[in-house]
Amino acid sequence: MLNPVELTGSDFSPEKGQVIVAEHNHRYTRAIYTEQHQWFADEAKQIGGDDYGPSPYEMLMAALGACTSMTVRMYANRKEWPLDDIRVTLSHRRDNRDGQVVDIFERMIQVAGDLTDEQRQRLLDIANKCPVHKTLTGTIDIQTQLR
């Protein structure tokens, strides 16, 4: 099992709210660091990676799925609804629509518990209000600098 390379120095110490992605090898393996966590991203072996971690799109789907599940749980807990379990399954594909490439994320939310139809519908509405969903469906401005 690989361990992310220890980064030292102020240039490599992520502050709260920052993510640092460092090259781990000269293929696709990347070490990812936040203030308190470390993990790898990679690509599958069949496209030249080492498969040491999830791909960037898998992490994007994981972010959406985790945020969805957390948001639904937070709402159900506040309302004291009998939500026993939440599972979010996601997939991604690209489609060509009228000459435009469209990214399609399919999200299946499974909930277990003695919920009414109205509660289930409200949880679906709440799922679409998770912060990551709002970011992905809103206007995004990525500002990039090269040093």
Side-chain angles (χ1 to χ4, degrees):
M1 181 71 163
L2 287 177
N3 290 318
V5 176
E6 287 297 321
L7 295 179
T8 57
S10 61
D11 290 345
F12 297 105
S13 299
E15 297 173 12
K16 187 171 183 70
Q18 283 186 326
V19 174
I20 294 177
V21 179
E23 186 169 63
H24 182 77
N25 63 24
H26 288 254
R27 289 184 306 277
Y28 303 125
T29 306
R30 298 294 174 262
I32 302 170
Y33 301 84
T34 64
E35 185 181 29
Q36 296 183 30
H37 303 282
Q38 302 173 358
W39 69 97
F40 284 109
D42 205 347
E43 290 289 356
K45 288 184 179 184
Q46 56 267 42
I47 61 170
D50 291 313
D51 208 12
Y52 288 136
S55 72
Y57 274 104
E58 289 170 332
M59 286 192 290
L60 184 59
M61 287 187 290
L64 177 58
C67 186
T68 299
S69 180
M70 290 174 186
T71 301
V72 168
R73 170 55 66 194
M74 188 181 308
Y75 187 84
N77 285 356
R78 282 190 193 147
K79 294 290 188 178
E80 297 181 356
W81 288 355
L83 178 60
D84 296 332
D85 192 38
I86 310 162
R87 178 175 292 188
V88 182
T89 304
L90 298 105
S91 62
H92 169 257
R93 71 178 191 281
R94 287 199 163 143
D95 211 359
N96 190 323
R97 294 184 185 164
D98 301 322
Q100 291 273 91
V101 176
V102 178
D103 285 283
I104 299 169
F105 290 89
E106 293 183 357
R107 178 176 58 172
M108 173 63 67
I109 305 167
Q110 296 170 281
V111 294
D114 190 21
L115 299 162
T116 67
D117 289 343
E118 292 80 17
Q119 289 170 328
R120 293 173 64 82
Q121 181 58 51
R122 184 65 182 143
L123 291 178
L124 178 59
D125 295 340
I126 292 300
N128 288 328
K129 294 180 182 190
C130 91
V132 172
H133 181 270
K134 290 167 92 172
T135 297
L136 291 173
T137 57
T139 302
I140 299 174
D141 179 12
I142 300 173
Q143 300 176 0
T144 305
Q145 299 175 15
L146 181 64
R147 294 182 186 176

